[in-house]
Amino acid sequence: MTTEQRDLAVREYQAGKTAFERGDYRQAVMYLERSNALVEPGSKLGGEMQIWLVTAYEAAGQRTEALTLCRKACQHPDLTTRRQGKRLLYILEAPRLKTRPEWLTQIPDLAAIEENESDRDFGRSKFAPTAPRKRVEKKPSIVPEEVDLSQVNTKDNGFIWVALVAGVAIVAGLIWFS
């Protein structure tokens, strides 16, 4: 491999990583496939590219390609690539959890939204941050709630007598010893 090919592969690799981090997974797959084709598959750089490509495949919804390449990465000559490949394969082969739609938050695609003319009149878009709203605190009610006396234990439990005797004993002891 010439240095020109290596430089091109590194540029494509960096472009793929950048596209992946932006969330453009299809573009990341394209760049990473091209960079992976330019380097020797058994090299350390080739192993790194394969791991990134496995992740991009999975993110882009190409699960079979991700599993196939991940199994190859588990047999890679580089020890780090083999370990990462085995960890990824463990994750990819794990059973999928079932989720309910109400557990997820849908994030709208804001790229398709056009600003309205009314929003321009105010000098900001409708998605601009606003001042946080103050939380309205409930004031405690002055009138106590009614209590059902049939539910209240009104029997004398004798505690008041024990406390009164103990208090008298303490006062008598203080007077006697002073």
Side-chain angles (χ1 to χ4, degrees), residues 35 135 144:
S35 68
R135 186 180 279 177

Side-chain angles (χ1 to χ4, degrees), residues 106-150:
Q106 294 293 327
I107 300 173
D109 183 13
L110 300 179
I113 297 176
E114 296 179 9
E115 285 189 35
N116 295 335
E117 289 297 318
S118 62
D119 291 337
R120 290 185 189 147
D121 293 341
F122 291 114
R124 62 185 174 98
S125 77
K126 61 183 170 183
F127 297 107
T130 59
R133 295 181 183 174
K134 291 187 178 182
R135 186 180 279 177
V136 179
E137 295 183 23
K138 288 185 176 181
K139 293 183 180 178
S141 175
I142 297 173
V143 180
E145 294 181 23
E146 287 188 35
V147 177
D148 183 13
L149 294 178
S150 67

Side-chain angles (χ1 to χ4, degrees), residues 22-42:
R22 268 194 334 260
D24 192 359
Y25 304 123
R26 302 227 183 268
Q27 189 79 21
V29 166
M30 182 189 71
Y31 283 125
L32 290 169
E33 281 178 338
R34 287 196 309 216
S35 68
N36 197 28
L38 293 172
V39 296
E40 182 182 329

Side-chain angles (χ1 to χ4, degrees), residues 97-108:
L97 296 176
K98 294 181 182 179
T99 59
R100 295 183 185 167
E102 62 266 15
W103 293 351
L104 304 174
T105 302
Q106 294 293 327
I107 300 173

